[in-house]
Amino acid sequence: MRFDDMGNTCVVGLQWGDEGKGKLVDVLVRHFDLVVRFSGGANAGHTIVADGETFALHQLPSGVLHEHVTGMIACGSVIDPAVLLGEIQSLRERGVDIGDRLRISHRAQLVFPYHRRQDMLAEQAALPGGKLGTTARGIGPCYADKVSRRWGIRVCELYHAQRFRERLATIVAHKNAYLVALYDFREPFDALAITEEYLNFAEQMRPVVCDTTLLLHERMKAGARVLFEGAQGSLLDIDHGTYPYVTSTSTGVGAVVSGAGVPPAAIHSTVGVIKAYTTRVGSGPFPTELSGALGDTIRERGGEYGTTTGRPRRCGWFDTVAAGYAAMIARPTCLAVMHLDTLSGLDELKVCVGYRNGPAISNHFPADAYELQAAQPLYETLPGWDAELSGCRRLADLPAAARDYLELISTRLATPIGVVGVGPEREQVILIENGA
Ligand code: IMP
């Protein structure tokens, strides 16, 4: 594989999110003209370290930090205008002006303050199964309103002020009644105030709102190279993930087709992004979780704290059953194994190669979250390595034990490795072209 010849490429996470997609996009982006977000919203947290400066983006596609790139937020995404405009402003204050390089879909759904509140109240309420541990960005309630077809509002509706006013008044009255009926909710939303706030946002967003689907097809026809930037991870996918401990959208390659509005044949390559170990933020089953000192060590070394919420991430060994299931669905062209450097200095490394459930042994990823919770991981143990990896730029620079570790993952996921992350900086990466 050659990185300058990948065609339109989809970057998709094969674990529970936070695999390092932001950094990978940053590394690959020089080969692309357009970077498109196709699902999710400001629940995403992409961290990019460039020239020693750290940028954390939630709503904007991370590729937009590069001057040659147009960033797109396509119709499968949800947009929180306060977050979007805040991010644009804070980038400007740090000397990054994205100017005319952003387009957002007029079909995308809008996140409103009542979505965020509903998300928080639902989490606080004692529901069967306990908390989901959401990012509290209002994502679930917003997608639920979209699918209901009664309460969702698209970006294009902001530009018909009278109709927007009327719809929002009805919707806010409904939301207030709903929240009062279900939760301890005593500060009803003021429809007029939200209307004025959003009409103001609409004017600020006007220059970048368009039919991104049409624009994307025009640009592809003209030869533009497109990078589809996935958010969250495959195991958080609403259909394929550890339901109900998932996000509200499809997160995989299929979501590119529906969320960006392109045919499957328009995606020429897929990079499956994994972390060299596993992390999860929020609730849900995690068979290889390390709850003791080792988990803390990995968390501190890897800086494993949520980009969106600051929550400590749960850390554990690499799980080839879980990631293998995601790889089967995505069938990536290659893997990007990020954060390998975090594992330096551990005496030995474990890799989960199967689950034991009672007497049964399986290498199948179960549908039932409770079954997965009960699964005991079966490990293969490999020797660790001491060397610091951040200076490695070729596979041959890695210690033999690190190469063996990568080989095991690649074999189990039946996918060649194309990228290895050896540090947070843009250049701290090994790019493997044609096997070397
Ligand atoms: P929501 O997407 O905010 O509804 O959260 C649902 C679940 O997905 C929670 O466990 C979140 O922690 C998780 N989640 C959502 N977005 C991300 C992400 O970008 N990285 C990691 N986990 C995420």
Side-chain angles (χ1 to χ4, degrees):
M1 194 190 67
R2 288 173 46 89
F3 292 101
D4 57 2
D5 193 22
M6 298 170 76
N8 299 332
T9 298
C10 171
V11 167
V12 56
L14 301 182
Q15 294 162 308
W16 280 289
D18 307 318
E19 296 91 350
K21 296 181 292 295
K23 168 166 172 166
L24 180 74
V25 168
D26 196 54
V27 168
L28 296 182
V29 75
R30 66 196 169 92
H31 303 296
F32 297 91
D33 308 299
L34 277 174
V35 176
V36 180
R37 279 214 43 197
F38 50 88
S39 74
N43 49 347
H46 290 164
T47 309
I48 303 108
V49 183
D51 303 327
E53 267 212 82
T54 303
F55 295 89
L57 297 178
H58 303 281
Q59 183 77 72
L60 286 169
S62 55
V64 86
L65 290 176
H66 294 256
E67 277 177 17
H68 73 281
V69 165
T70 299
M72 247 184 213
I73 306 178
C75 57
S77 294
V78 294
I79 294 175
D80 187 328
V83 177
L84 178 82
L85 294 167
E87 266 176 28
I88 294 172
Q89 178 59 23
S90 82
L91 284 181
R92 195 174 294 137
E93 284 161 11
R94 295 175 68 185
V96 181
D97 192 351
I98 63 172
D100 191 34
R101 296 186 294 103
L102 176 70
R103 294 289 178 273
I104 67 180
S105 170
H106 60 183
R107 290 188 175 89
Q109 295 273 327
L110 289 161
V111 177
F112 286 89
Y114 48 79
H115 290 131
R116 290 192 293 267
R117 186 73 64 82
Q118 188 179 338
D119 202 354
M120 285 184 239
L121 289 168
E123 283 286 89
Q124 283 158 15
L127 294 173
K131 294 184 196 312
L132 297 180
T134 74
T135 60
R137 294 296 184 113
I139 304 301
C142 182
Y143 276 108
D145 281 354
K146 168 182 176 175
V147 176
S148 81
R149 293 149 297 147
R150 294 183 195 283
W151 315 113
I153 300 185
R154 285 174 151 190
V155 169
C156 56
E157 294 181 64
L158 291 172
Y159 302 98
H160 301 276
Q162 191 48 31
R163 195 174 358 119
F164 172 65
R165 261 191 198 99
E166 287 163 14
R167 278 208 72 213
L168 195 68
T170 314
I171 291 170
V172 168
H174 162 79
K175 284 288 171 186
N176 283 336
Y178 175 87
L179 295 176
V180 165
L182 281 189
Y183 306 112
D184 181 15
F185 173 69
R186 295 164 201 210
E187 293 162 41
F189 287 101
D190 175 350
L192 267 182
I194 301 177
T195 305
E196 292 320 310
E197 186 185 22
Y198 273 65
L199 288 176
N200 185 302
F201 290 149
E203 284 318 305
Q204 296 179 60
M205 295 193 300
R206 192 187 279 276
V208 299
V209 171
C210 71
D211 186 334
T212 54
T213 312
L214 186 62
L215 180 62
L216 181 55
H217 280 267
E218 284 171 359
R219 293 287 305 267
M220 287 195 299
K221 212 180 269 177
R225 299 157 305 170
V226 186
L227 187 63
F228 296 101
E229 178 178 310
Q232 292 80 45
S234 304
L235 304 176
L236 290 171
D237 185 284
I238 183 79
D239 294 307
H240 304 290
T242 47
Y243 191 91
Y245 305 100
V246 292
T247 191
S248 315
T249 52
S250 301
T251 57
V253 185
V256 175
V257 175
S258 58
V262 294
I267 306 165
H268 306 123
S269 309
T270 299
V271 183
V273 192
I274 50 180
K275 210 175 256 182
Y277 43 98
T278 309
T279 62
R280 172 161 209 169
V281 56
S283 317
F286 180 177
T288 62
E289 182 169 10
L290 291 164
S291 43
L294 197 48
D296 296 342
T297 303
I298 294 176
R299 179 178 312 110
E300 293 314 314
R301 285 197 193 164
E304 296 294 355
Y305 292 88
T307 313
T308 305
T309 58
R311 291 179 290 182
R313 294 184 186 134
R314 302 157 64 192
C315 299
W317 296 122
F318 192 84
D319 184 342
T320 63
V321 181
Y325 184 72
M328 178 186 77
I329 294 168
R331 190 46 59 231
T333 319
C334 71
L335 296 172
V337 186
M338 311 307 279
H339 277 269
L340 187 65
D341 53 300
T342 301
L343 296 179
S344 289
L346 300 182
D347 291 341
E348 56 180 31
L349 302 168
K350 291 183 193 288
V351 175
C352 171
V353 293
Y355 297 146
R356 182 193 294 280
N357 237 330
I361 288 181
S362 155
N363 58 6
H364 177 66
F365 191 64
D368 188 311
Y370 294 90
E371 200 181 312
L372 183 61
Q373 185 64 50
Q376 295 297 314
L378 299 172
Y379 288 118
E380 217 168 278
T381 303
L382 285 82
W385 60 87
D386 276 329
E388 150 81 31
L389 305 187
S390 58
C392 299
R393 294 294 175 268
R394 294 174 312 136
L395 262 190
D397 298 339
L398 292 173
R403 290 202 302 272
D404 289 347
Y405 184 76
L406 292 176
E407 181 65 30
L408 175 65
I409 291 176
S410 171
T411 305
R412 289 274 170 179
L413 270 55
T415 314
I417 294 176
V419 179
V420 181
V422 290
E425 292 280 346
R426 209 173 251 173
E427 62 280 4
Q428 289 173 332
V429 76
I430 298 173
L431 297 173
I432 304 161
E433 295 197 301
N434 304 324

